[in-house]
Amino acid sequence: MTKFLLSLHVLAAILAVGPVTVAASMFPPAARRAAPAGGDGPGTAVTTVEVLHRICRVYSRVGVTVPVLGLATALAMGVLGDGWLVTSIALTAAAAAVLIAFVLPRQDELVERLARHQPVDRRATARLAMFTGVFNLLWATVTVLMIVRPGSSTGA
């Protein structure tokens, strides 16, 4: 059962978190390209920005399965109190908070501005890129912890 849960956990991480990290990273430059030049008319890449934002919203909801399956796996493995797992849980919560509080709302604002054919402030896309980078760094750290599992009897 443990191997089955672990397989589902890893698949969920790849299929849910992967698209969010990629789409969120692509969003700021796509928003800059989609912005109307000098405020005249819509940019040509507005649809791309909307699709990237939709990917982030939908897959972030699907991504809830990752920690749920992770907790079930940890419970089955008997490692729920291990330091590496507690740290991973905290970093996962931090990544979710960054996504919910900073990345998705800023994407919403930029999509709305582009839909109204308004110019996009480069500083806004730079801040979004920074928050996206923090989100991605947190997930990368969780991934490393999941592989290395310091102090784990099953760690490499």
Side-chain angles (χ1 to χ4, degrees), residues 1-84:
M1 184 63 159
T2 302
K3 289 181 182 184
F4 177 71
L5 286 171
L6 182 58
S7 297
L8 288 178
H9 174 62
V10 170
L11 282 171
I14 292 167
L15 297 175
V17 178
V20 174
T21 58
V22 172
S25 296
M26 292 172 65
F27 188 96
R32 283 191 292 272
R33 283 191 307 272
D40 38 77
T44 58
V46 175
T47 303
T48 301
V49 173
E50 291 170 340
V51 168
L52 291 172
H53 180 53
R54 194 173 316 118
I55 289 169
C56 290
R57 275 194 334 249
V58 170
Y59 281 88
S60 65
R61 289 182 188 119
V62 175
V64 171
T65 61
V66 176
V68 169
L69 289 167
L71 288 172
T73 304
L75 191 60
M77 292 175 70
V79 295
L80 208 47
D82 287 8
W84 62 270

Side-chain angles (χ1 to χ4, degrees), residues 4 16 34-35 42 69 71 87 100-101 108 110 115 123:
F4 177 71
L69 289 167
L71 288 172
T87 302
I100 292 166
D108 284 333
L110 291 171
R123 288 176 296 184

Side-chain angles (χ1 to χ4, degrees), residues 90-105 131 134-135 138-139:
L91 291 174
T92 297
V98 168
L99 183 67
I100 292 166
F102 298 106
V103 175
L104 293 175
F131 289 125
V134 169
F135 170 76
L138 288 167
W139 271 117

